[in-house]
């Protein structure tokens, strides 16, 4: 039952449907474990909407950008720790117990967040939720893979990937449903505990991974579980393959050593593993530095940057981006085996760069054409409500909405309309209430813009460019590029790089928008994406249709893209010719 998380093709989906009708137990197992992916996706999406209302309830969160970033990124920090310990727990306690523990931790985190009386308690809840996500995100696909028939393994594991994006979409629906409910963000974060509770109950009635049981010398139990999953004529063959695989692993562990340090030293000393790690780490780091999780974590905030002030409208538009992400993951299932991993990622990266540059241009235009500040309108709110930076500047007559926001103040639109000259006021809860009392719209994240909806459209195109390629292919590549004896270690190292990159980007996004503006931030991501495109082109080989042994041979030979492959051929020809000449001289 080897092979990590292979991608599924059309034949696998047809076979999966047929086998699921014959044995509903298979689908029950995959869907129950796949809720781990749903937890991962839900947590990624739910904080984006909840943050809008947390800012409303806690003024210190609204005032401090770093605190907003920390609330978002603490779950990522927890996930790094959860993923690191999750690997050890999977081997020591088993896949099923690890998932059950992940559900308990996630559920506790959801309750803590929902009942939080202060921002620091939300941070504790976010860490707990992150620990659960980290454990579940690596355990769920492993459990499904090891408890699936070989012919439909790719299709069943793809259910977990789809549920990640499905969880994000569900989170936006939940966010939208509670926009007018008392407690708004508390419900949004608290509901996260429901799928964790459902999975916990379902997993109690499901068995442990047969491969883990066999490794623990519980052959009879493993055989009993396999008889429920496989056809009668497949059980003995699977037992035989499992036995050979585990014996090989034990033999290799004897040579390399079971200690993590010994394994890591052995991996880094191996040229094939190093080349595989270059490729695996590059695609995982690039996946994060194209800025995708800033879009998923801060999607409603980005929509507000585009000049849409209403929280509920921002959430509704963000729902579209989440739906496109789920749609893109389905496209990936259909195309990854048809076009190949490398080509799909390269095309995806080109689309991402184009969209990021276009977004940068749109936000720049919006900033330069934002409504001007009316001095008369501003002063009419009284000295205590006026933005202090505005009153102290000598050239206040040249100020517009964007300069007001950059001074950490807010724009209260004109009663004549959002695009007319308005007031630059102090960014506080009480002043915002006064602005609303005058039946005006309050802008604190972005300025009203006639082209703001175009930015939302480009955000959708960005998701469509990202999701089918860079969204799923890095995980597929990392499941197949490492030799069997180092597959867990290699995939784990690449995953840690992914989570760490995620943490860096999510922790710095709002600070970057504050320092560089939305336009400069998206342009910076475009620069990172271009570097990622070059790195993928230079170092990541195509693994489509190759057996694991063939991938290993490809890495042994070394990968050279065009036009460097020509140079390699020329060098080889020169070496061959020189060898012939030497042989001829020797003969003479």
């Amino acid at each position: 039952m080897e092979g990590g998380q292979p991608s599924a093709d059309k034949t696998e989906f047809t076979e999966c449907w047929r086998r699921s009708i014959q044995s509903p137990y298979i689908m029950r197992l995959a869907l129950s474990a796949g809720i781990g992916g749903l937890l991962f996706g839900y947590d990624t999406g739910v904080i984006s909407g909840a943050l809008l209302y947390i800012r409303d309830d806690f003024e210190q969160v609204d005032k401090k950008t770093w605190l907003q970033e920390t609330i978002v990124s603490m779950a990522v920090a927890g996930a790094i720790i959860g993923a690191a310990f999750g690997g050890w727990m999977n081997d020591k306690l088993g896949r099923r117990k690890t998932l059950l523990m992940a559900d308990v931790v996630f559920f506790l985190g959801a309750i803590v967040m929902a009942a939080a009386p202060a921002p620091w308690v939300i941070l504790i809840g976010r860490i707990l939720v992150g620990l659960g996500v980290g454990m579940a995100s690596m355990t769920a696909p492993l459990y499904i893979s090891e408890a699936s028939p070989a012919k439909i393994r790719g299709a069943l594991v793809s259910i977990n990937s789809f549920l990640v994006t499905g969880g994000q979409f569900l989170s936006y629906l939940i966010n939208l449903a509670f926009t007018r409910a008392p407690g708004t963000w508390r419900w949004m974060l608290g509901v996260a505990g429901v799928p964790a509770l459902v999975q916990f109950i379902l997993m109690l009635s499901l068995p442990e991974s047969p491969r883990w049981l066999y490794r623990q010398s519980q052959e009879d139990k493993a055989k009993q579980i396999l008889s429920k999953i496989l056809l009668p004529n497949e059980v003995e063959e699977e037992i035989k393959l499992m036995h050979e695989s585990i014996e090989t692993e034990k033999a290799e562990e004897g040579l390399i050593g079971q200690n993590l340090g010994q394994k890591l030293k052995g991996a880094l000393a191996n040229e094939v593993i190093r080349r595989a790690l270059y490729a695996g780490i590059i695609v995982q780091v690039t996946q994060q530095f194209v800025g995708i999780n800033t879009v998923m974590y801060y999607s409603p905030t980005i929509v507000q940057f585009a000049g849409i002030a209403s929280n509920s409208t921002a959430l509704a538009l963000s729902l579209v981006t989440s739906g496109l992400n789920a749609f893109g993951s389905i496209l990936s299932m259909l195309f990854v085996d048809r076009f190949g991993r490398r080509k799909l990622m390269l095309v995806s990266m080109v689309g991402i760069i184009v969209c990021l540059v276009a977004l940068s241009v749109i936000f720049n235009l919006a900033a330069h054409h934002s409504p001007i500040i009316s001095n008369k309108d501003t002063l009419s709110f009284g000295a205590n409500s006026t933005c202090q930076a505005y009153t102290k500047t000598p050239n206040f007559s040249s100020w517009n909405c964007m300069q007001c926001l950059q001074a950490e103040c807010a724009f209260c639109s004109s009663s004549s309309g959002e695009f007319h000259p308005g007031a630059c006021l102090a960014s506080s809860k009480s002043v915002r209430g006064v602005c609303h009392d005058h039946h005006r719209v309050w802008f604190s994240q972005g300025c009203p813009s006639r082209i703001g909806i175009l930015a939302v459209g480009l955000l959708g195109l960005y998701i469509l460019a990202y999701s089918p390629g860079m969204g799923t292919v890095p995980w597929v590549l990392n499941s197949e590029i490492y030799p069997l004896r180092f597959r867990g270690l290699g995939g784990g190292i690449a995953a840690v790089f992914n989570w760490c990159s995620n943490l860096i980007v999510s922790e710095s996004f709002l600070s970057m928008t504050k320092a560089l503006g939305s336009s400069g931030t998206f342009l910076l991501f475009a620069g990172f994406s271009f570097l990622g495109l070059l790195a993928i082109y230079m170092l990541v080989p195509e693994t489509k249709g190759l057996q694991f042994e063939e991938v290993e041979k490809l890495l042994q030979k070394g990968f050279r893209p065009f036009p460097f492959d020509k140079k390699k051929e020329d060098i080889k020809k020169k070496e061959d010719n020189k060898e012939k000449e030497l042989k001829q001289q020797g003969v003479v």
Side-chain angles (χ1 to χ4, degrees):
M1 293 214 155
E2 304 300 323
Q5 298 182 45
S7 178
D9 59 22
K10 255 185 189 178
T11 308
E12 284 188 42
F13 280 108
T14 306
E15 179 67 14
C16 179
W17 180 254
R18 189 179 65 82
R19 289 288 289 268
S20 298
I21 293 172
Q22 289 178 346
S23 176
Y25 182 79
I26 296 172
M27 189 56 68
R28 177 188 160 201
L29 182 149
L31 287 172
S32 299
I35 295 174
L38 187 78
L39 296 178
F40 181 15
Y42 187 90
D43 179 69
T44 303
V46 73
I47 193 61
S48 64
L51 189 62
L52 299 178
Y53 296 94
I54 292 172
R55 289 205 318 249
D56 289 347
D57 277 10
F58 299 110
E59 194 164 344
Q60 65 264 49
V61 177
D62 193 38
K63 292 277 189 184
K64 297 174 183 176
T65 300
W66 67 266
L67 189 52
Q68 295 175 39
E69 291 171 331
T70 305
I71 288 172
V72 170
S73 56
M74 275 301 98
V76 183
I80 294 171
I81 300 168
F85 278 99
W88 173 82
M89 290 170 66
N90 271 290
D91 288 336
K92 195 77 176 173
L93 305 175
R95 293 34 165 156
R96 178 173 169 270
K97 285 182 181 177
T98 303
L99 275 176
L100 289 170
M101 290 180 70
D103 289 331
V104 171
V105 174
F106 191 97
F107 183 81
L108 288 174
I111 298 300
V112 169
M113 289 190 297
W120 66 268
V121 182
I122 299 176
L123 293 178
I124 293 173
R126 293 291 292 161
I127 292 171
L128 288 172
V129 162
L131 287 169
V133 166
M135 288 188 282
S137 65
M138 66 171 298
T139 306
L142 182 62
Y143 178 86
I144 297 169
S145 179
E146 292 184 346
S148 302
K151 288 182 180 179
I152 60 170
R153 186 173 300 135
L156 289 176
V157 174
S158 294
I159 289 173
N160 183 74
S161 301
F162 176 71
L163 284 174
V164 172
T165 54
Q168 291 170 342
F169 185 74
L170 176 64
S171 70
Y172 283 110
L173 284 176
I174 296 292
N175 283 348
L176 201 56
F178 287 113
T179 52
R180 298 190 182 279
T184 52
W185 62 269
R186 296 183 185 279
W187 284 104
M188 294 171 182
L189 298 176
V191 166
V194 175
L197 181 62
V198 170
Q199 185 179 45
F200 184 87
I201 294 168
L202 291 172
M203 290 303 297
L204 287 174
S205 63
L206 290 174
E208 180 53 81
S209 157
R211 188 186 186 285
W212 186 83
L213 289 171
Y214 198 92
R215 183 70 189 263
Q216 305 303 311
S217 302
Q218 299 182 44
E219 291 90 347
D220 290 340
K221 282 187 180 179
K223 192 171 181 179
Q224 186 180 358
I225 294 163
L226 287 172
S227 65
K228 293 182 179 180
I229 298 168
L230 304 175
L231 298 174
N233 61 328
E234 295 174 336
V235 176
E236 290 303 325
E237 179 64 23
E238 191 64 38
I239 289 286
K240 182 184 174 184
L241 291 171
M242 197 183 293
H243 176 77
E244 291 173 357
S245 171
I246 290 172
E247 289 303 312
T248 302
E249 281 184 22
K250 287 180 178 178
E252 286 170 349
E253 281 177 358
L255 292 171
I256 299 170
Q258 294 191 40
N259 181 279
L260 180 61
Q262 291 174 317
K263 282 185 177 180
L264 185 59
K265 187 178 178 181
L268 296 177
N270 188 313
E271 189 175 34
V272 171
I273 307 303
R274 286 203 307 274
R275 286 172 175 168
L277 281 170
Y278 294 152
I281 290 172
I282 279 168
V283 296
Q284 293 285 36
V285 171
T286 301
Q287 184 191 59
Q288 295 304 318
F289 273 89
V290 300
I292 182 59
N293 275 321
T294 61
V295 174
M296 300 317 297
Y297 292 139
Y298 299 107
S299 187
T301 304
I302 293 170
V303 171
Q304 289 188 331
F305 287 164
I308 295 164
S310 166
N311 284 352
S312 57
T313 305
L315 280 173
L317 289 171
S318 300
L319 185 64
V320 176
T321 63
S322 181
L324 289 173
N325 195 27
F327 176 69
S329 66
I330 297 172
L331 291 180
S332 181
M333 293 177 197
L334 298 174
F335 294 140
V336 72
D337 279 325
R338 186 177 301 177
F339 296 114
R341 287 75 161 125
R342 177 180 162 83
K343 187 182 291 184
L344 206 54
M345 284 192 290
L346 291 174
V347 171
S348 178
M349 287 299 296
V350 171
I352 286 168
I353 292 168
V354 170
C355 289
L356 286 172
V357 171
L359 277 167
S360 177
V361 172
I362 291 295
F363 277 109
N364 186 52
L365 287 172
H368 282 86
H369 293 85
S370 61
I372 62 172
I373 301 298
S374 166
N375 187 50
K376 181 181 177 182
D377 201 14
T378 301
L379 296 177
S380 69
F381 281 87
N384 291 332
S385 299
T386 304
C387 172
Q388 293 300 306
Y390 174 76
T391 58
K392 291 176 182 177
T393 185
N395 59 336
F396 61 83
S397 59
S398 64
W399 269 41
N400 63 16
C401 170
M402 190 55 66
Q403 288 168 298
C404 177
L405 266 56
Q406 287 170 348
E408 297 187 8
C409 296
F411 180 75
C412 182
S413 69
S414 169
S415 54
S416 305
E418 294 179 4
F419 306 113
H420 291 79
C424 183
L425 305 177
S427 181
S428 69
K429 201 170 182 179
S430 58
V431 177
R432 181 178 61 197
V434 173
C435 177
H436 287 157
D437 289 342
H438 284 72
H439 306 290
R440 299 183 178 198
V441 182
W442 179 263
F443 292 87
S444 60
Q445 297 297 319
C447 293
S449 172
R450 297 182 191 278
I451 57 174
I453 197 66
L454 185 57
V456 176
L458 280 169
L459 211 58
L461 286 175
Y462 166 82
I463 293 289
L464 277 178
Y466 167 85
S467 187
M470 289 307 298
T472 53
V473 177
W475 298 101
V476 173
L477 184 82
N478 271 280
S479 74
E480 61 192 12
I481 201 167
Y482 307 104
L484 174 62
R485 60 191 179 279
F486 291 109
R487 195 166 300 147
L489 180 64
I493 291 171
V496 168
F497 269 89
N498 182 287
W499 281 111
C500 289
S501 301
N502 187 335
L503 179 62
I504 292 168
V505 173
S506 59
E507 179 67 22
S508 61
F509 176 68
L510 292 179
S511 297
M512 284 194 294
T513 56
K514 188 176 177 181
L516 305 174
S518 303
S519 176
T521 301
F522 282 110
L523 193 60
L524 182 64
F525 281 136
F528 288 144
S529 299
F530 181 71
L531 294 176
L533 173 66
L534 291 179
I536 291 170
Y537 182 78
M538 294 295 295
L539 295 171
V540 180
E542 180 57 75
T543 56
K544 169 194 167 186
L546 298 178
Q547 298 293 332
F548 294 125
E549 295 78 13
E550 292 174 320
V551 173
E552 191 169 350
K553 286 177 183 177
L554 174 65
L555 292 170
Q556 282 174 347
K557 193 169 74 169
F559 171 71
R560 287 273 192 272
F562 176 85
F564 305 102
D565 56 340
K566 298 294 182 184
K567 290 182 180 179
K568 189 176 179 182
E569 288 176 12
D570 292 340
I571 292 169
K572 193 173 184 306
K573 283 180 183 178
K574 286 179 181 179
E575 289 176 351
D576 291 342
N577 291 334
K578 193 173 182 181
E579 191 177 341
K580 284 180 183 178
E581 286 176 10
L582 290 171
K583 282 182 179 179
Q584 287 173 357
Q585 289 173 6
V587 171
V588 173

